[in-house]
Every structure is written in C-alpha cells, then in structure tokens.
Amino acid sequence: MRKTFWVIFIICACMMLLFACSNETQTNQDEQKQKNDVIHIATKPMTEQLILGEMLAILIEEKTGLQTEITKGVGGGTANIHPALINGEFDLYPEYTGTSWYTVLKETQTPTHETMMEELKKRYNDEFNLRWLGLYGFENTYGIIVRKEIADQYNVSKISDLEAIAPKLVFGANYDYFERPDGFDAFKEAYHLNFQKTVDMDIALRFQALNNAQIDVLNLFTTDAQLSVTEHKILEDDKAFFQDYYAGTVIRNETLEKHPELEAAIALLDGQISEKEMSDMNYEIEENKKDEADVAREFLIAKGIIE
C-alpha cells in the first residue's frame, strides 16, 4: 500500500513539475511574442514629427492591436534614423520626399513630383529594402520670410526683391539648411543674393531671433507654428526654387511582411492633413503647450478616422 502511495505521489509531483514548466515556457513565449510585436517608431526633433509619430502609434494600436514604442526627437534626424531603420532598430518613421531625394539618394536634379515618387519607391525598395508608404497630404517645404519693417521699408513682396538690399541684411537659418545640397548655397546662387552676414541657429529659436531683429531674413517651413500669428512678410518664391517636401511614411519591408495589416492602418492618414491643419496643430503644442498625443488623437477623432 505504502509503495503504491509513493508511486502515485511521484507521478503527481512529476505532472505538477511538467505543468509548471509548460506554463513558464508558454509565458516566455508570450513575452517574446509580445516583444516581437512592438512596432518601433522614430521621429525627428520637430514638433510636427512628434504629432505624426503619435498619430501613427494611435492608428497602429487601435486598428491592428499591435503595440508601439516611439523614440522621439532622434538627434540628427534622417542622418541617424535612416541607417537605424535599415539595421532594424526602428520599423518606420515620418519622412519628407525632398529629404529622401536630396539627402539620402544624394540627387541634385529635381524631377516632377510624380517622377520623384516613382523613383523613391523603386530605389528605396531596391537599395535599402524600405518602402515609401503613402503621403499624408501636406507639404513642409522651405520658404523665406522677412521682417515686417524691412518689407515695408523696401516694398519687398517676392524673393527676387531681396537682391538689391541683401548686402544690408542678416540671414538666419537652422544649421542643417547651410549643409544641405538644396539649401543656402543653392538658394543664394539661384536668387543672386549676397547677404551681409549669415547666422545658424536652433530651429526653435529662429522666429524669436526674427522678432527681436537679430536677423532680417529667415528660412521657414511651410507648416511652422508661428505662421499662424506672424506679422512678418512671407515672400513669393517667384523663381520656383523650393521643391517637393511631401510628408509620408517610410517603413521596413521586413516589418510589412511580418505585419501586412500595418499598410491599411497607415493608409488611413493618406491625404488627410493640409499645411494649415499641420501648422495649427504645431501651434497648439508650441504656443498653447498642449500634449502632442492629445493633439494627435483630437485630430484623428475630428477627421472621423478613429472614435
């Protein structure tokens, strides 16, 4: 009888041990699966990029059930995000067509928008195993703004009007603009401008410098938050120098192959955001100090994309 008891005891103990091990194995597998199912989103150090990152995260989580993790404001922007995307550190990020064309592909000639998009899609797939996935609708290209006092004094309305007075003016821009092949050097050559001085500065301080008359002329982004309230003069690009910078998503092919449902979720942003809407959202954060996640969610709800 005692022998039978011990046999039964040992069998039960083994079964309990096997059950515990099985549970632990399943837990580990679930944790690994959960880790693998996290979609890693990167954003550049710009207000609108933070908003776009939040929009992508909200759509992915609500429409696919996948988890997301956002790395906000990656220093160096494209220069650091692009190789990290190729290496698998990130899965996707918001990018601009012009940046991909000039900075990543190192192109110097500017094709039509349709040709550029066709080439971007083909070369990103062939050279980097990445995919350009849709466009949000707005373009964040460069522009030029001049202090109101200067515009009034010299009757300046278009960029070519600056040629005669440039030697009296100080031009300011973010550091990146002075380094880009389509940036300051190309701009001043196209418009024959010889400024008295140039100043590179942090993106966040550009309009402050203009307001304080530390600079006279400034490069702007067409979705800058301050454009909603500025009194300074935005100049006409009368030589059509500034090119396409439409915003859209760049994603790893490997990520799409593993989670094809991402394509439909991200496509919900196609054509949904105008320059004015993006500028207004930037203003809500930069001036009204709202949280980017709240602004992103409010916009998606207002558009009827989510409930």
Side-chain angles (χ1 to χ4, degrees):
M1 185 72 177
R2 179 174 295 181
K3 182 178 180 181
T4 302
F5 168 79
W6 282 110
V7 170
I8 295 173
F9 175 80
I10 292 171
I11 291 173
C12 290
C14 289
M15 290 179 65
M16 290 176 65
L17 182 61
L18 287 171
F19 181 74
C21 290
S22 176
N23 280 347
E24 183 178 356
T25 300
Q26 185 61 48
T27 299
N28 290 337
Q29 289 175 344
D30 290 343
E31 289 177 351
Q32 184 61 41
K33 182 176 185 299
Q34 186 179 49
K35 180 179 179 181
N36 291 339
D37 284 345
V38 173
I39 303 301
H40 296 274
I41 303 169
T43 67
K44 304 182 188 185
M46 299 161 55
T47 301
E48 73 185 45
Q49 284 267 318
L50 303 181
I51 298 170
L52 293 171
E54 293 289 352
M55 286 187 185
L56 290 167
I58 291 168
L59 287 176
I60 290 169
E61 292 191 355
E62 295 204 3
K63 300 300 182 179
T64 72
L66 296 166
Q67 291 183 303
T68 63
E69 181 179 299
I70 307 175
T71 301
K72 298 183 179 183
V74 177
T78 299
N80 288 327
I81 296 176
H82 178 73
L85 201 70
I86 293 173
N87 294 334
E89 184 177 344
F90 303 122
D91 292 296
L92 58 92
Y93 78 113
E95 183 56 283
Y96 305 92
T97 55
T99 304
S100 286
W101 185 253
Y102 299 110
T103 303
V104 177
L105 298 184
K106 309 296 185 185
E107 292 291 341
T108 57
Q109 301 300 314
T110 303
T112 63
H113 170 69
E114 292 74 17
T115 300
M116 181 183 288
M117 284 308 305
E118 184 178 319
E119 280 295 303
L120 283 177
K121 289 179 179 179
K122 181 179 186 303
R123 291 184 59 182
Y124 261 57
N125 180 73
D126 295 346
E127 297 176 25
F128 310 120
N129 201 25
L130 302 177
R131 181 171 171 186
W132 258 94
L133 194 64
L135 297 175
Y136 310 138
F138 74 92
E139 182 181 15
N140 187 357
T141 190
Y142 288 110
I144 297 295
I145 189 169
V146 65
R147 283 199 298 117
K148 183 179 185 299
E149 295 81 0
I150 299 293
D152 291 344
Q153 180 180 352
Y154 296 102
N155 193 30
V156 176
S157 62
K158 55 186 183 295
I159 298 176
S160 58
D161 292 336
L162 293 175
E163 183 176 355
I165 61 173
K168 304 176 183 179
L169 306 178
V170 177
F171 179 90
N174 52 297
Y175 174 79
D176 179 62
Y177 190 65
F178 290 105
E179 299 297 315
R180 302 175 65 94
D182 62 330
F184 179 71
D185 287 341
F187 165 66
K188 73 175 184 178
E189 181 178 344
Y191 276 101
H192 310 292
L193 300 174
N194 182 29
F195 291 103
Q196 177 190 102
K197 181 182 177 181
T198 60
V199 180
D200 61 82
M201 61 193 70
D202 186 270
I203 287 179
L205 301 177
R206 295 173 305 133
F207 276 88
Q208 181 180 326
L210 191 69
N211 293 335
N212 294 338
Q214 294 172 294
I215 58 175
D216 303 304
V217 186
L218 171 69
N219 79 313
L220 59 81
F221 300 104
T222 51
T223 59
D224 274 331
Q226 292 84 353
L227 296 182
S228 299
V229 294
T230 188
E231 294 182 352
H232 302 302
K233 180 69 174 180
I234 300 172
L235 302 183
E236 176 192 349
D237 179 19
D238 51 311
K239 293 187 178 180
F241 171 76
F242 297 113
Q243 304 299 332
D244 288 356
Y245 282 88
Y246 288 95
T249 305
V250 174
I251 186 170
R252 286 168 53 81
N253 279 332
E254 185 177 333
T255 302
L256 267 183
E257 290 166 3
K258 184 177 180 182
H259 300 292
E261 66 271 28
L262 286 170
E263 184 168 0
I266 294 171
L268 294 172
L269 278 182
D270 286 358
Q272 291 291 335
I273 311 173
S274 68
E275 280 87 358
K276 179 66 165 58
E277 288 169 330
M278 196 70 253
S279 179
D280 288 346
M281 284 189 280
N282 288 337
Y283 187 83
E284 286 296 306
I285 291 170
E286 294 178 17
E287 302 299 326
N288 295 336
K289 308 305 178 185
K290 295 186 71 173
D291 181 76
E292 56 260 21
D294 293 337
V295 171
R297 184 171 292 277
E298 289 168 7
F299 178 84
L300 293 175
I301 292 173
K303 285 285 185 174
I305 299 173
I306 63 170
E307 296 181 355

